[in-house]
Amino acid sequence: MKNARFNIALYEAQQMLKQAEKDNFPNGISYGHNALSGIYQSKHLFKLAVEHKEKEIEVTKQFEGNTYNFSNSYCQLCLLYCQLNRLDKAKAALDEAQKWVNSHKQAFTVWIRSADYYIKIANYPKAWECLQKAKELLETHEENRLIDHYYYFTLCDYYRNTGEYDKALALHDSITMAYPARDNNVLSERYRQKATIYSKMGNYQAALDFFKRYVELTDSLNIVQADVAAGEYAALLSVGRLNTEKNELRQKMQEKDLRNKQRVNLPVNRIYAEKMGGTLRIDPEYTEGCRVVLTLPIEEGVIGS
């Protein structure tokens, strides 16, 4: 995982889970689902990550295992549901996380995930309140400094969403220096975030530069190669469940490819429209799909000539 060799990690986690189920070892089963959830989250396959995280919690409850880390498990589940825009499920997971808090470190994590949730639903005053609670725990309990990056990532997200772009850009650069990206998924997302900030600030050339870097790292060829690798491991394991996951992987990778293009094409085209003195926007009154409205100025005397 640390070396971004996700398919090897997938193979080993499947083997571990299979052996734990064969031995009827609940702690091993729970740990296997936890590992698989982490792998799929790293691959941005959030539905699969949710599935295994829920199974981890279910097994732990069923066999009365160690519930000490339940708060963190529900926090992770909340974050995954936010990624899927299943906000009712995210709030339910967040409420459960609050019930299982056993330490200042867990309380810190709950406040951060609460801020993430409220940013997601655009309740920025509540998000700021949660960030202040997290900051207080960060300053008063040294153990939270080991995970202080959670706070800074969410604070940067808050600044982006509230239009405080100078603060967002400065913090984004500090994060990039202090916490190098562990893989291309993380790095590409940072490029996209920075491109969005520059676009909102009106620095279109810088925005285009970072959108270009984002596209290069999310190229379709890389997605196809990852899909092929997943298929090779499925054949190696000869496990029906992994073959099912292979199909889900392919579908999710195709969806991710389309989403990446959509996330880039609209902002880039809006930049060009604004550079020409026009606008590009989504029509909020159109409900039968999606309608994009492009408006460009026409020089006097052009019409009818």
Side-chain angles (χ1 to χ4, degrees), residues 97-112:
Q98 292 171 340
K99 294 177 185 177
W100 292 93
V101 169
N102 290 302
S103 68
H104 293 299
K105 193 173 183 180
Q106 290 180 357
F108 173 77
T109 304
V110 169
W111 284 121
I112 293 298

Side-chain angles (χ1 to χ4, degrees), residues 24-299:
N24 194 26
F25 180 43
N27 285 342
I29 296 172
S30 176
Y31 186 79
H33 285 302
N34 175 64
L36 285 167
S37 179
I39 295 166
Y40 286 128
Q41 182 176 357
S42 296
K43 292 171 73 68
H44 290 192
L45 300 170
F46 299 117
K47 284 186 179 179
L48 289 168
V50 163
E51 178 183 331
H52 286 286
K53 182 56 65 177
E54 288 181 332
K55 285 182 178 179
E56 173 201 343
I57 294 172
E58 178 186 341
V59 169
T60 304
K61 285 184 175 179
Q62 181 180 353
F63 293 97
E64 299 181 354
N66 183 4
T67 59
Y68 181 80
N69 289 318
F70 257 23
S71 180
N72 289 339
S73 295
Y74 278 113
C75 278
Q76 291 167 10
L77 193 57
C78 171
L79 190 61
L80 292 169
Y81 275 129
C82 282
Q83 293 287 350
L84 294 171
N85 288 318
R86 299 180 64 181
L87 301 179
D88 55 336
K89 292 279 191 180
K91 185 60 168 64
L94 192 58
D95 291 342
E96 286 295 319
Q98 292 171 340
K99 294 177 185 177
W100 292 93
V101 169
N102 290 302
S103 68
H104 293 299
K105 193 173 183 180
Q106 290 180 357
F108 173 77
T109 304
V110 169
W111 284 121
I112 293 298
R113 294 307 168 222
S114 297
D116 289 328
Y117 168 77
Y118 286 116
I119 290 170
K120 188 72 175 179
I121 65 172
N123 187 340
Y124 301 123
K126 191 68 175 178
W128 182 252
E129 179 183 325
C130 294
L131 282 167
Q132 293 308 298
K133 295 285 188 181
K135 182 181 180 181
E136 181 181 339
L137 286 171
L138 184 60
E139 293 173 344
T140 56
H141 295 86
E142 189 172 349
E143 65 268 27
N144 289 327
R145 295 174 189 172
L146 296 173
I147 53 173
D148 61 356
H149 55 286
Y150 292 161
Y151 170 76
Y152 294 116
F153 287 143
T154 300
L155 181 60
C156 186
D157 196 30
Y158 173 85
Y159 286 144
R160 280 200 308 271
N161 281 274
T162 55
E164 299 175 78
Y165 301 122
D166 288 332
K167 291 181 180 179
L169 185 60
L171 186 54
H172 188 282
D173 289 341
S174 296
I175 289 171
T176 300
M177 291 291 293
Y179 309 102
R182 66 180 184 274
D183 58 59
N184 281 351
N185 279 332
V186 174
L187 184 58
S188 65
E189 182 61 17
R190 289 186 182 180
Y191 285 156
R192 188 191 67 81
Q193 291 171 352
K194 195 163 186 178
T196 301
I197 296 171
Y198 275 127
S199 177
K200 294 290 186 180
M201 295 175 72
N203 189 339
Y204 298 132
Q205 190 56 51
L208 290 171
D209 179 51
F210 279 98
F211 273 129
K212 179 182 178 182
R213 298 186 195 185
Y214 172 76
V215 170
E216 288 173 349
L217 278 181
T218 53
D219 186 86
S220 297
L221 288 176
N222 293 332
I223 296 173
V224 170
Q225 290 168 359
D227 185 29
V228 170
E232 291 172 351
Y233 281 107
L236 176 64
L237 285 171
S238 297
V239 177
R241 172 58 183 152
L242 191 57
N243 281 320
T244 300
E245 290 181 358
K246 172 192 170 184
N247 293 330
E248 294 179 29
L249 278 168
R250 180 183 293 111
Q251 179 184 354
K252 282 297 152 190
M253 288 172 181
Q254 290 171 348
E255 290 176 0
K256 179 182 175 184
D257 189 24
L258 177 61
R259 185 169 64 252
N260 285 339
K261 291 175 181 176
Q262 291 172 335
R263 293 168 84 180
V264 171
N265 288 342
L266 201 59
V268 168
N269 287 325
R270 186 176 66 243
I271 289 172
Y272 282 120
E274 291 177 355
K275 289 180 73 173
M276 296 171 66
T279 62
L280 185 71
R281 63 180 178 85
I282 301 293
D283 184 355
E285 298 179 359
Y286 188 75
T287 58
E288 299 180 8
C290 178
R291 175 183 286 164
V292 180
V293 180
L294 171 64
T295 304
L296 292 174
I298 299 178
E299 294 182 10

